[in-house]
Amino acid sequence: MSASNHPHPPPPGTVVVDTGRDDRVGEFRGTAGPYWALRPLHGGPEWEAEPRDVRPAEPMERLRAEIARRNARSAEGRL
């Protein structure tokens, strides 16, 4: 697939869903060659996703990811 067939990347920080990885929710960080770099909202290592497998997160998906992030921070003693 050529780069011209890839969707345009969203602004950094946009919450997206990687449908190629079991609807994993992440934050768009930038591009890495032909892939998009995503990072879990609650922290952790970035992963690369095929742009065609990424879609904007729906409000409920963003809320679940934010709650998971806050729970992880709370468990670390950081609110």
Side-chain angles (χ1 to χ4, degrees):
M1 174 178 270
S2 71
S4 63
N5 290 334
H6 286 186
H8 292 288
T14 300
V15 179
V16 295
V17 175
D18 183 355
T19 62
R21 287 207 168 80
D22 296 323
D23 292 340
R24 190 172 177 191
V25 178
E27 175 185 304
F28 177 77
R29 305 289 285 182
T31 58
Y35 303 104
W36 287 1
L38 308 178
R39 182 175 183 272
L41 294 183
H42 55 81
E46 290 185 356
W47 76 93
E48 293 179 348
E50 291 279 350
R52 68 176 176 263
D53 293 337
V54 178
R55 64 170 174 78
E58 295 177 6
M60 187 57 72
E61 291 167 322
R62 284 194 305 271
L63 179 61
R64 282 187 197 121
E66 179 62 27
I67 289 170
R69 182 182 73 81
R70 288 178 184 256
N71 285 342
R73 290 183 75 173
S74 177
E76 295 171 353
R78 302 177 337 179
L79 295 173

